[in-house]
Amino acid sequence: MNPGTYTVAVRALCEFGARQGDLDLRFTPSPSAQEGIEGHGKVTAKREVGYQREVRLEGDYQELHVKGRADGYDPERQQIEEIKTYRGEVSAIPANHTQLHWAQARVYAHLQCQQLALSEIHVALIYFNVDTQKETQLVEIETARSLSVFFSALCETFLAWAKQELAHRKERDLAYKQMAFPHPTFRTGQRELSEAIYKASNRGCALLAQAPTGIGKTIGSLFPMLKASAEHQIDKIFFLAAKTSGRQLALHAIETLQGNLPPRSLRSLELVAKTNACEFPDNACHGDSCPLAKGFYDRLPEARTAALQVPSLDQQQLRSVALAHQVCPYYLSTEMAKWCDVIVGDYNYYFDLNAMLYGLTVSNGWKTGLLVDEAHNLVARARAMYSAQLSERQFRAVRKQAPGVLKKSFDRLQRLWNQLEKNAESDYVVHATLPEKFCMALLTLCADMGSYCADHPTLVSPELQQFYFDALLFNRLCESFDDHSIVDVTLAGGDAILCIRNIVPAPFLKARFAATHTSTLFSATLSPWNYYADLLGMPDSTAWIDVDSPFSPEQLSVNLIDTISTRYADRRNSLMPIVALMAAQYQETPGNYLAFFSSFEYMDQVAGVFQERFPEIAVWTQTRRMDEEARRNFLANFTDASQGIGFAVLGGAFAEGIDLPGTRLIGAFIATLGLPQINPVNEQIRQRMQQLFGTGYDYTYLYPGIQKVVQAAGRVIRTTSDRGVIYLIDDRFGQQQIRRLLPAWWKLSDQSA
Ligand code: SF4
């Protein structure tokens, strides 16, 4: 790109300049992406020979370079076509959506006139109903001159903004190039990580970085990515975290970096869930219901300009700008995602089925740098994003109150559901393929519900709406069903749950990584790397780095207790030896400890015996379903001056993501290998992993288990001055294949209890 030229996609240009009035996200069930593609295909398939599809067009206006792809062009009729799919009535499409569609059609028409030197053109806006297959053509005849006037006016509304964007970009890149590391020195391992991230960007590849706690990964990843963005013309950096705490660390690191940069040269944005950002949770997102949606697009330009003056748009800052301009904070944040340099948010903003940041990346052709924090969580999170389930009990309840017009399709699905139940030979059944008749009936029901919801938006009950959304997701996953997922039926408590269960998210995530210029996934536990690369769909060119720990083996005494078995059958016999071991360690070095177990049941048994035998030692116990406050209270027991043992469950709220430096935590007892339970679902996963990768047991049980053990053990040493002890309690910890999965810097000593 010419540095003095600003490239903008047709859609983005129109969204900027041609939207007015209310935000209107009234319940309009839009077609899925697949239905949209099919709808476009059906419309263009009916056109005459010679019809041109997906016509690439571009043109310039002063510093602006505008480009995009028109849906179709009919040379015979000299007609440019913009095709939109919808459900319900054409007349129900909100006016500001239609305005936007016309603007896009006219811009393409102008670009086509320029390209073919036409003096006049037919501009067609075509609405295709995916349910009735009805095509509605709205056609106007425009002169090249009037289109040119329209295009110029639209570009003018954007030009001043584009100029400030160009100026910002120039200033920002210069500032990043000159920016010094914000601390006097890099910590051990931090430079290594930073260099690897920069090099990955230089090569335009992905990186899996196993980097231990305590090296300053957040700033150590953002700093090189900013440098790289200046050198490698990266448009946006996405920093994605699994939890709120990770987002907070990133925002804090960004503030530190901003301290080293000219004001406003680094624009950052925090994305939070709509439910957390919404000011009127009982209202709907349209002008008749929510005052912040009323006239949203009329007030957006000023709100947008004001927001740009705030360098760190965290949730609070963004909210105050939004409220000062009476616009919805959530939708202002989605707008600001287009104009900020670093965006901090949850994984789902880039990875899930309808991910906003991914959508913007593709539609705007952004060059992006992706940073994924605590990336060991991504496997489980992505599996959940690409799984869906339907409950027969919920379906039955919705069917009872469904409107008469839907009765036939509801009844048909109920019959097929009964059949699924009847044919189930046990409480858990895996189907080799999708139950075809059921899926077809669900598809029909969805189409009928879609039309009903579009025609009667005010009569749709929340239950029907919820079932409709669940069914739509299920349908979408049916479309992409393959050996990356299984389909199963679970019968429990009078309910039958039909589930599409994703096991390998790689096929879904592949395109997400491919769309970035560079991606780095980092975590203290990312080994073995092939497990993550295989399951997440990392590109073949992905680099791998295992960053040295800043901690010395002398800081941590790691004891393997291979005389105790924590297997289910041996648990009763393990209670006394574990209690004795814990008490002995505590009596030798009193202080704060955490003890981890495979289940609440096991934890309660050990805690019960411990309290009975050693009532003088303080014990804090994790309970099921602790809320945020209860968790805070649990952690508040661990002070610099306190002494006691916290009993917790491995893989739970206290086994990762908590920071108890110094004497707040001096040791951990891990009385489990962390292996996921052997149950019918996990056994199915094991078989599929075996079939796909030849590593059924390791990918299903061993690696996820040991990853949890290492995460939990990682709570003990948080700084270079910490000292601590870990007890790994189970005879299997002595096995070579398990020992080699433990961090290289640990010095293991075998002990008998
Ligand atoms: S404030 Fe809430 S209800 Fe209003 S537009 Fe925003 S998200 Fe929708």
Side-chain angles (χ1 to χ4, degrees), residues 264-554:
R264 292 193 289 280
S265 54
L266 194 175
R267 299 174 184 164
S268 67
L269 170 73
E270 178 187 16
L271 289 174
V272 300
K274 186 167 152 184
T275 42
N276 294 336
C278 179
E279 291 290 318
F280 295 96
D282 295 330
N283 296 26
C285 304
H286 58 82
D288 296 337
S289 172
C290 175
L292 301 183
K294 182 111 201 125
F296 176 88
Y297 289 108
D298 302 332
R299 292 189 295 278
L300 181 62
E302 283 196 12
R304 185 165 50 201
T305 305
L308 225 48
Q309 304 312 309
V310 183
S312 291
L313 281 173
D314 61 15
Q315 187 179 3
Q316 283 317 317
Q317 298 275 15
L318 189 108
R319 179 173 183 265
S320 30
V321 176
L323 296 188
H325 291 82
Q326 280 299 290
V327 294
C328 165
Y330 177 74
Y331 288 103
L332 178 62
S333 77
T334 62
E335 171 67 22
M336 295 317 294
K338 297 172 193 164
W339 315 114
C340 286
D341 306 306
V342 182
I343 298 158
V344 178
D346 184 89
Y347 292 170
N348 67 304
Y349 280 104
Y350 191 77
F351 289 113
D352 84 8
L353 260 173
N354 303 307
M356 175 184 64
L357 293 178
Y358 173 64
L360 285 171
T361 299
V362 173
S363 63
N364 290 295
W366 285 341
K367 196 170 178 183
T368 55
L370 184 67
L371 296 171
V372 184
D373 182 30
E374 302 291 0
H376 60 275
N377 290 298
L378 189 55
V379 174
R381 286 288 307 278
R383 280 177 172 164
M385 290 173 202
Y386 294 95
S387 296
Q389 63 177 41
L390 294 174
S391 144
E392 200 256 349
R393 183 186 288 155
Q394 184 202 359
F395 170 76
R396 236 183 293 145
V398 176
R399 178 174 163 246
K400 267 191 199 146
Q401 40 146 298
V405 53
L406 297 177
K407 188 170 180 317
K408 209 170 129 204
S409 8
F410 263 100
D411 288 352
R412 179 168 158 67
L413 192 66
Q414 180 70 72
R415 282 196 297 279
L416 290 162
W417 215 319
N418 294 344
Q419 237 171 54
L420 275 182
E421 255 182 281
K422 210 170 106 199
N423 295 342
E425 281 157 9
S426 67
D427 288 351
Y428 179 75
V429 181
V430 175
H431 288 253
T433 56
L434 286 172
E436 210 172 305
K437 283 186 184 160
F438 181 96
C439 294
M440 287 310 293
L442 185 69
L443 204 61
T444 309
L445 176 58
C446 270
D448 293 349
M449 282 194 291
S451 301
Y452 178 81
C453 295
D455 294 343
H456 309 90
T458 53
L459 299 181
V460 182
S461 70
E463 294 78 21
L464 179 67
Q465 184 169 322
Q466 188 53 53
F467 177 73
Y468 177 50
F469 287 148
D470 292 347
L472 279 180
L473 174 63
F474 198 91
N475 274 341
R476 282 189 69 179
L477 293 178
C478 285
E479 284 167 8
S480 53
F481 186 76
D482 208 338
D483 59 5
H484 50 64
S485 299
I486 57 174
V487 58
D488 56 33
V489 180
T490 308
L491 306 179
D495 198 3
I497 311 276
L498 179 63
C499 182
I500 291 184
R501 199 181 298 276
N502 177 253
I503 291 170
V504 182
F508 296 104
L509 303 193
K510 223 177 187 143
R512 308 295 163 114
F513 292 116
T516 68
H517 166 68
T518 181
S519 313
T520 294
L521 275 61
F522 54 92
S523 162
T525 49
L526 269 191
S527 85
W529 66 269
N530 54 304
Y531 170 75
Y532 291 94
D534 284 346
L535 294 195
L536 297 175
M538 306 294 295
D540 290 344
S541 58
T542 300
W544 156 251
I545 179 178
D546 191 358
V547 176
D548 284 346
S549 171
F551 309 133
S552 68
E554 288 66 43

Side-chain angles (χ1 to χ4, degrees), residues 28 107 119 130 160 276 289 311 314 335 516 549 601 626 660 675:
T28 43
V107 170
S119 58
V130 291
N276 294 336
S289 172
D314 61 15
E335 171 67 22
T516 68
S549 171
E601 195 194 350
M626 273 174 146
L660 299 169
L675 304 181

